[in-house]
Amino acid sequence: MKQIGARRVGAVASALVLGLVAAAPPASAANPAGVASVGSAEFTKAGTRVTVAPLAPCAVDGRTSNSSEAVSRTGVRFGPGTSSCATAVVDPDHGTTRTTSEADGTEFELSALVSAGGPRLRVARWKVTCTGTESGTSAGWAADGLQGFSGLPEQITPNYVHEVKAGNGAVLATATFGETILPDPNDGSIAMNMLHLRFTEASGLTGDVVLGSTACSPTP
């Protein structure tokens, strides 16, 4: 599991593995107490809009567990997945709690780029998790059985951006692994997408696909 963390004061993002580091995404508003989702999609290809609403969403202050069956749309398939957003009391005397929000799934496939000369992308198994404590938060991800992502390094750091190319070298999409979002101003919260695919103009598609998302904040 590749992890990074954020503290209440002075956001810190550090990789536990070595490799190339891509620029962090722009900071955003504060993250929720604890949420997770199997994934979502919103893109257009040849005038056809493909939408997959967030699958199996959970929240520590709402539905705390969820699951989704396999979902197939034109160009994309999400395999079965589950999510869990739990709160545990770690110190009853002081009311200290820890939240754990996670999602996992199997058999993801993106075929939307094949018609543009690109690869068929597959992820056999994956997981993303976010933990909130009184002192801060941490998030991590893991994936296995990746296919079609030619040239990935053996060790992938958070926010690593991989270019998905056609046979002629044209970049059809970018794939950001462990995409990490920290708020501005920093409040110690953190959000992570296990994999975020964004299509380029060369692909003939517009939009993006997210596989595995989570977010959490320090506990009260």
Side-chain angles (χ1 to χ4, degrees):
M1 179 78 74
K2 301 168 177 66
Q3 293 184 321
I4 71 168
R7 300 175 182 173
R8 281 191 181 275
V9 178
V12 175
S14 59
L16 299 184
V17 292
L18 300 176
L20 298 175
V21 179
S28 65
N31 292 299
V35 297
S37 166
V38 168
S40 61
E42 186 72 46
F43 63 90
T44 301
K45 178 178 182 178
T48 299
R49 186 175 181 180
V50 177
T51 300
V52 178
L55 298 169
C58 71
V60 296
D61 53 3
R63 182 168 180 172
T64 56
S65 64
N66 210 339
S67 64
S68 57
E69 300 297 327
V71 174
S72 293
R73 299 286 188 271
T74 302
V76 66
R77 180 184 188 276
F78 293 87
T82 63
S83 67
S84 173
C85 295
T87 302
V89 177
V90 295
D91 186 345
D93 293 337
H94 296 90
T96 305
T97 61
R98 179 183 65 249
T99 64
T100 303
S101 305
E102 61 184 28
D104 60 75
T106 60
E107 302 171 6
F108 171 79
E109 179 179 307
L110 182 81
S111 58
L113 298 175
V114 173
S115 60
R120 187 181 303 271
L121 304 177
R122 291 190 175 103
V123 182
R125 293 167 297 278
W126 60 269
K127 181 177 182 179
V128 63
T129 184
C130 195
T131 301
T133 67
E134 187 179 18
S135 59
T137 58
S138 62
W141 64 277
D144 187 26
L146 278 67
Q147 298 180 33
F149 299 92
S150 178
L152 280 178
E154 291 186 5
Q155 297 178 326
I156 305 173
T157 59
N159 291 314
Y160 178 77
V161 179
H162 171 74
E163 293 183 336
V164 181
K165 297 181 179 181
N168 63 6
V171 177
L172 305 178
T174 58
T176 305
F177 290 88
E179 181 179 52
T180 307
I181 303 166
L182 302 173
D184 185 15
N186 167 54
D187 63 358
S189 67
I190 193 171
M192 179 176 282
N193 295 317
M194 198 290 292
L195 176 62
H196 194 166
L197 291 155
R198 296 177 173 89
F199 301 113
T200 68
E201 185 177 356
S203 70
L205 290 82
T206 57
D208 62 347
V209 177
V210 173
L211 180 62
S213 64
T214 188
C216 60
S217 296
T219 56

